[in-house]
């Protein structure tokens, strides 16, 4: 036997043991020293609170770059922090300009038809979609930190805004009020987004899990595609509802309005768009095909209708679009009245979805180029550009995945590509608007369908089924909720399922019996490692979650059940009875007062049954709270160990010593 140092009687330092031992699980005569379980360094309550707040709101330590800098350098770094343009601007050169011009013109060819189409999806005048592709990209180029994010209207935010507003206000009967509410919702979306970034509350959008978004976007894509049947079939009367049953009913109730000219043109261009999309997907070198095909479709279809206008009476066209820059819309903001709650609710919901998509897209392409995107700065940039957009006749915008992918593949180097795109849109607004007079509405429907089909990710749904059935359930709830109930309620149901999953993990944490891997000092779950063996007289349990008021009662009941089941197994196999229960607390990151009470009650219960309770490897936070609550006094000097192996070896040694003492 080897004598161990550091045996201290003071419970506040809690030295565990005074002797080492030969491991009962080892094939070698290697002594094991028993180490102390120490308390963390003492900190005041204010110090603890400050550290906790820093971890919650500033996990990335954004101010680290200001340390040990002169006042002038701090000012310059502050400008770079608030306006990333000061970071990349001084290093910008002509070598970077060429690929930015190419990528900017490429995404402009996609942004112009998509802007018109998505405005239609939001039940807004088509010109608003172009306005929204001009001002927001310019603001983002100054404030944004992503080099590849292409800003503009997106399908999901357009769909949500159009759905939520049209359920209360008719865009055909009250177009001015509808437009006012759209601008007001954009303002509140921007305020909400910027507030999340300013107050470092970005973790709130994490409640929109991947599973939720997969189902939501798939359901939204189906609804959006079905809504485009109005334009694809040339119908005049159509339901304003977004659920699948009313939409299909409306399609077949007005079969007499179907236009064969519109249907033929729609099918031809839809096939063309889908084909180019498929080619670009399979061979990224031909990305320009899918990027240029929407604008090519608009130009070609406009020429066809203009040439055959005397014979194409059944094909509806966009008509007159006003030329000129974005008119100010501050006077159109609806800041008081009975519809204000609707505008706020619409703004928050569409703002959250836009923010989620924008940040996800930005981080995706940043990872491909190995640079960092500051999530909170992105929230502020997206929020401020939407606030400015609401005052310049724009509706909710964010980073678009399709345009950003084209921007990336076209070789964009900086956000100057957004400036080039905005310049192209400006030229269109000033000089080219009359050319869209004969653009058929059916082509906009085809462009929208092509864009949203990419949102249906069935492979992601299959992965969810294989990996996590609860995530798959959340995905299904979101999908069917959007299809059969409504877009916002479908999203709310999915978020509810995700929150339920979190609560389930918190209130019903995993526990398991640990066994020793032969020839090692490692203890692992016996269900996972079939070679792991039980240690006679010991029951070793692992708790894989913090111990809170929400799960403390469950854990107490579950641990007692583990003990009962082990005793029944021992009795059936006539093995050595349990004398000690060890709880491995490696995964217990924190504990509250209810958890401490549970540990103490469990220890007292086991004492009455002549069973010893031992805690192994409690974390610093757990150890500190156990010490401050005086709970450690009940465990004594042999109740807390650094590792499970030390606990098993030391307690076995103590039992052996006790049996060798003369009576």
């Amino acid at each position: 036997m080897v004598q161990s140092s550091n045996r201290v009687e003071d419970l506040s330092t809690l030295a565990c043991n005074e002797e080492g031992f030969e491991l009962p699980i080892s094939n070698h005569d290697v002594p094991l020293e028993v180490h102390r379980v120490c308390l963390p360094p003492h900190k005041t309550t204010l110090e603890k609170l400050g550290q906790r707040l820093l971890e919650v709101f500033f996990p990335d330590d954004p101010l680290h770059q200001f340390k040990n800098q002169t006042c002038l350098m701090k000012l310059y770094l502050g400008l770079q922090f608030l306006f990333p343009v000061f970071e990349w601007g001084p290093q910008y050169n002509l070598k970077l300009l060429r690929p930015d011009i190419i990528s900017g013109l490429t995404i402009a060819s996609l942004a112009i038809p998509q802007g018109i189409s998505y405005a239609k999806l939001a039940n807004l005048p088509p010109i608003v979609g172009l306005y929204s592709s001009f001002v927001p990209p310019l603001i983002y180029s100054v404030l944004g930190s992503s080099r590849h994010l292409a800003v503009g209207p997106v399908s999901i935010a357009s769909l949500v805004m159009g759905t939520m507003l049209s359920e209360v206000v008719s865009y055909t009967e009250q177009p001015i009020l509808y437009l006012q509410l759209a601008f007001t919702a954009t303002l509140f979306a921007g305020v909400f987004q910027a507030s999340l970034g300013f107050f470092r509350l970005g973790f709130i959008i994490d409640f929109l899990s991947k599973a939720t978004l997969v189902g939501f976007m798939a359901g939204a894509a189906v609804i959006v595609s079905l809504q485009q049947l109005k334009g694809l079939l040339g119908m005049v009367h159509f339901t304003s509802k977004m659920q699948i049953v009313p939409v299909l009913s409306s399609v077949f109730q007005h079969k007499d309005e179907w236009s064969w000219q519109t249907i033929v043109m729609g099918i031809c261009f839809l096939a063309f768009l889908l084909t180019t999309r498929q080619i670009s997907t399979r061979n990224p070198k031909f990305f320009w095909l899918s990027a240029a095909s929407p604008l090519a479709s608009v130009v070609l279809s406009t020429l066809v209708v203009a040439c055959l206008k005397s014979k194409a009476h059944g094909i509806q066209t966009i008509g007159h679009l006003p030329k000129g820059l974005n008119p100010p819309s501050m006077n159109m903001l609806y800041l008081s009245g009975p519809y204000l709650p609707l505008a706020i609710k619409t703004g928050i919901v569409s703002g959250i979805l836009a923010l989620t998509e924008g940040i996800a897209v930005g981080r995706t392409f940043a990872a491909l180029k190995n640079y960092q995107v500051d999530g909170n700065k992105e929230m502020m940039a997206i929020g401020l550009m939407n606030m400015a957009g609401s005052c310049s006749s724009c509706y909710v915008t964010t980073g678009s995945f399709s345009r950003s992918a084209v921007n990336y593949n076209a070789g964009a180097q900086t956000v100057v590509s957004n400036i080039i795109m905005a310049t192209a849109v400006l030229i269109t607004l000033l000089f080219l608007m009359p050319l869209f007079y004969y653009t058929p509405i059916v082509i906009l429907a085809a462009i929208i369908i092509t864009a949203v089909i990419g949102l249906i990710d069935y492979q992601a749904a299959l992965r969810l089924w294989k990996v996590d059935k609860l995530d798959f359930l959340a995905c299904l709830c979101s999908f069917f909720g959007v299809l059969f109930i409504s877009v916002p309620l479908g999203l709310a149901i999915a978020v509810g399922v995700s929150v339920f999953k979190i609560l389930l993990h918190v209130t019903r944490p995993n526990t398991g019996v640990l066994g020793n891997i032969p020839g090692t000092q490692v203890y692992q779950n016996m269900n996972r490692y079939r070679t792991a063996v039980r240690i006679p007289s010991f029951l070793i349990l692992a708790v894989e979650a913090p111990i809170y008021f929400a799960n403390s009662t469950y854990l107490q009941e579950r641990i007692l059940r583990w003990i009962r089941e082990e005793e029944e197994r021992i009795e059936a196999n006539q093995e050595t009875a349990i004398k000690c229960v060890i709880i491995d607390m490696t995964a217990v990151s924190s504990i509250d007062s209810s958890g401490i009470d549970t540990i103490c009650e469990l220890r007292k219960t086991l004492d009455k049954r002549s069973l010893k309770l031992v805690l192994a490897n409690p974390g610093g936070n757990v150890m500190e709270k156990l010490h401050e609550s005086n709970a450690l006094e009940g465990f004594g000097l042999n109740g807390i160990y650094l590792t499970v192996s030390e606990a098993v070896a030391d307690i076995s040694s103590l039992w052996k010593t006790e049996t060798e003492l003369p009576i």
Side-chain angles (χ1 to χ4, degrees):
M1 307 296 288
V2 178
Q3 294 296 319
S4 170
S5 60
N6 300 328
R7 178 65 183 264
V8 181
E9 295 295 330
D10 184 3
L11 281 174
S12 66
T13 58
L14 209 76
C16 295
N17 297 282
E18 64 182 359
E19 48 181 306
F21 41 80
E22 179 179 323
L23 283 174
I25 58 172
S26 176
N27 296 326
H28 308 284
D29 295 331
V30 181
L32 182 69
E33 182 180 356
V34 178
H35 300 84
R36 295 195 310 172
V37 180
C38 300
L39 291 170
H42 176 72
K43 291 182 179 179
T44 65
T45 302
L46 287 178
E47 288 175 334
K48 294 177 185 176
L49 179 62
Q51 183 180 6
R52 185 58 181 161
L53 290 176
L54 285 174
E55 290 296 327
V56 172
F57 296 106
F58 302 96
D60 54 344
D61 190 15
L63 302 180
H64 72 282
Q65 58 183 331
F66 295 93
K67 296 177 182 178
N68 303 320
Q69 300 290 345
T70 63
C71 293
L72 187 61
M73 181 56 69
K74 286 181 179 179
L75 177 62
Y76 181 66
L77 291 174
L79 285 174
Q80 288 185 337
F81 183 79
L82 296 174
F83 304 99
V85 65
F86 287 102
E87 186 174 348
W88 57 264
Q91 286 82 36
Y92 198 78
N93 53 50
L94 292 176
K95 184 179 179 181
L96 298 174
L97 181 60
R98 182 178 175 275
D100 281 342
I101 290 177
I102 294 173
S103 56
L105 293 176
T106 305
I107 58 176
S109 68
L110 181 61
I112 292 171
Q114 279 192 350
I116 296 173
S117 303
Y118 291 158
K120 176 179 175 293
L121 184 58
N123 302 318
L124 294 168
I127 191 67
V128 175
L130 290 180
Y131 291 156
S132 302
S133 300
F134 172 54
V135 173
L138 293 176
I139 296 175
Y140 182 83
S141 64
V142 176
L143 301 175
S145 59
S146 172
R147 303 173 196 166
H148 300 94
L149 198 68
V151 171
V154 294
S155 57
I156 292 298
S158 302
L159 168 69
V160 170
M161 176 172 284
T163 302
M164 296 183 69
L165 292 181
S166 60
E167 286 179 350
V168 180
V169 178
S170 172
Y171 59 91
T172 55
E173 298 176 4
Q174 299 173 290
I176 302 300
L177 176 60
Y178 188 91
L179 196 59
Q180 289 176 330
L181 293 177
F183 293 152
T184 308
T186 302
L187 173 65
F188 284 108
V191 170
F192 179 74
Q193 292 166 336
S195 299
L196 288 182
F198 182 78
F199 293 108
R200 316 285 293 185
L201 298 175
F203 59 85
I204 290 177
I205 65 173
D206 292 337
F207 282 97
L208 287 177
S209 65
K210 173 70 173 177
T212 299
L213 290 175
V214 167
F216 174 78
M217 289 192 292
V222 173
I223 288 295
V224 169
S225 299
L226 291 176
Q227 277 284 333
Q228 301 318 302
L229 290 176
K230 176 185 178 182
L232 208 60
L233 300 175
M235 298 173 62
V236 178
H237 299 91
F238 203 75
T239 181
S240 60
K241 297 180 180 180
M242 300 297 292
Q243 296 84 359
I244 187 171
V245 175
V247 169
L248 291 177
S249 299
S250 180
V251 168
F252 292 104
Q253 284 175 0
H254 300 92
K255 288 190 294 183
D256 55 315
E257 296 182 1
W258 292 9
S259 168
W260 69 267
Q261 300 103 318
T262 303
I263 294 174
V264 171
M265 177 176 282
I267 291 176
C268 290
F269 280 102
L270 184 60
F272 169 69
L273 290 167
L274 291 175
T275 301
T276 56
R277 177 187 176 87
Q278 189 69 15
I279 293 173
S280 298
T281 302
R282 291 187 175 182
N283 193 340
K285 292 181 179 179
F286 295 104
F287 70 90
W288 53 270
L289 275 178
S290 62
S293 58
L295 185 60
S297 300
V298 168
V299 173
L300 186 58
S301 63
T302 302
L303 290 174
V304 170
V305 173
C307 294
L308 302 176
K309 55 185 176 182
S310 59
K311 300 179 181 179
H313 296 295
I315 300 178
Q316 303 173 31
T317 60
I318 291 178
H320 173 71
L321 293 177
K323 293 195 298 183
L325 295 177
N326 301 33
S329 56
M330 188 177 295
N331 60 331
M332 294 189 69
L333 295 177
Y334 188 93
L335 299 178
S336 63
Y339 297 108
L340 182 59
L342 171 64
I344 295 175
K345 182 175 68 172
T346 303
I348 291 176
V349 174
S350 59
I352 289 176
L353 290 171
L355 202 58
T356 303
E357 180 174 356
I359 292 177
V361 172
R363 286 176 173 168
T364 298
F365 292 105
L368 293 176
K369 284 293 186 178
N370 196 29
Y371 67 92
Q372 294 293 321
V373 168
D374 188 326
N376 288 291
K377 282 203 285 190
E378 286 294 285
M379 292 177 198
M380 293 185 65
I382 294 173
L384 290 172
M385 77 180 186
N386 277 318
M387 292 169 64
S390 68
C391 300
S392 54
S393 301
C394 304
Y395 76 107
V396 175
T397 55
T398 187
S400 163
F401 185 83
S402 59
R403 287 193 293 275
S404 298
V406 170
N407 196 32
Y408 175 83
N409 289 324
Q413 299 297 311
T414 67
V415 288
V416 171
S417 60
N418 275 286
I419 299 176
I420 303 300
M421 179 191 72
T423 303
V425 173
L426 171 63
I427 294 172
T428 303
L429 287 170
L430 292 177
F431 306 110
L432 304 180
M433 298 313 297
L435 300 180
F436 291 98
Y437 184 88
Y438 288 107
T439 300
I441 292 178
V442 64
I443 201 64
L444 303 182
I447 291 173
I448 291 175
I449 292 174
T450 305
V452 299
I453 279 179
L455 299 176
I456 303 176
D457 192 351
Y458 67 91
Q459 292 181 340
L462 292 176
R463 284 195 299 271
L464 290 175
W465 170 256
K466 293 178 181 178
V467 175
D468 192 321
K469 301 300 187 292
L470 272 178
D471 271 352
F472 183 75
L473 177 62
C475 177
L476 285 184
C477 289
S478 182
F479 178 74
F480 288 112
V482 169
L483 282 184
F484 293 101
I485 305 176
S486 70
V487 172
L489 282 179
L491 185 62
I493 291 172
V495 171
V497 173
S498 298
V499 172
F500 171 75
K501 178 187 174 183
I502 295 173
L503 294 176
L504 189 63
H505 286 311
V506 170
T507 59
R508 296 295 183 267
N510 290 332
T511 59
V513 177
L514 303 185
N516 175 250
I517 305 297
T520 73
Q521 298 174 15
V522 177
Y523 288 79
Q524 289 290 343
N525 193 298
M526 298 193 65
N527 284 332
R528 182 181 172 193
Y529 291 87
R530 299 298 182 183
T531 58
V533 295
R534 288 180 167 84
I535 305 300
S537 302
F538 288 92
L539 174 62
I540 306 169
L541 302 174
V543 177
E544 300 177 358
I547 303 178
Y548 289 125
F549 66 93
N551 62 20
S552 57
T553 301
Y554 166 80
L555 285 174
Q556 183 176 5
E557 294 173 350
R558 190 66 185 91
I559 289 172
L560 291 175
R561 177 184 163 189
W562 279 119
I563 295 172
R564 186 185 74 246
E565 291 174 347
E566 183 68 7
E567 289 175 338
E568 292 173 353
R569 188 195 65 80
I570 288 173
E571 183 179 354
N573 296 321
Q574 296 182 346
E575 297 178 0
T576 306
I578 301 174
K579 296 167 64 177
C580 178
V581 177
I582 301 175
I583 299 180
D584 183 1
M585 302 186 71
T586 302
V588 181
S589 58
S590 60
I591 192 170
D592 67 357
S593 56
S594 298
I596 293 172
D597 290 341
T598 296
I599 294 293
C600 294
E601 290 174 12
L602 185 62
R603 180 186 57 78
K604 292 176 183 178
T605 301
L606 297 184
D607 280 346
K608 294 177 181 178
R609 298 169 60 174
S610 299
L611 295 175
K612 181 179 181 62
L613 178 63
V614 171
L615 306 181
N617 196 24
N621 179 271
V622 175
M623 193 68 183
E624 185 178 25
K625 290 186 177 181
L626 289 173
H627 169 63
E628 291 176 351
S629 65
N630 297 323
L632 294 178
E633 294 179 358
F635 285 90
L637 298 176
N638 304 108
I640 310 286
Y641 288 85
L642 186 61
T643 65
V644 172
S645 59
E646 289 186 9
V648 171
D650 190 52
I651 294 172
S652 299
S653 177
L654 290 175
W655 290 341
K656 183 178 179 181
T657 302
E658 290 173 358
T659 58
E660 292 176 353
L661 290 176
I663 301 176

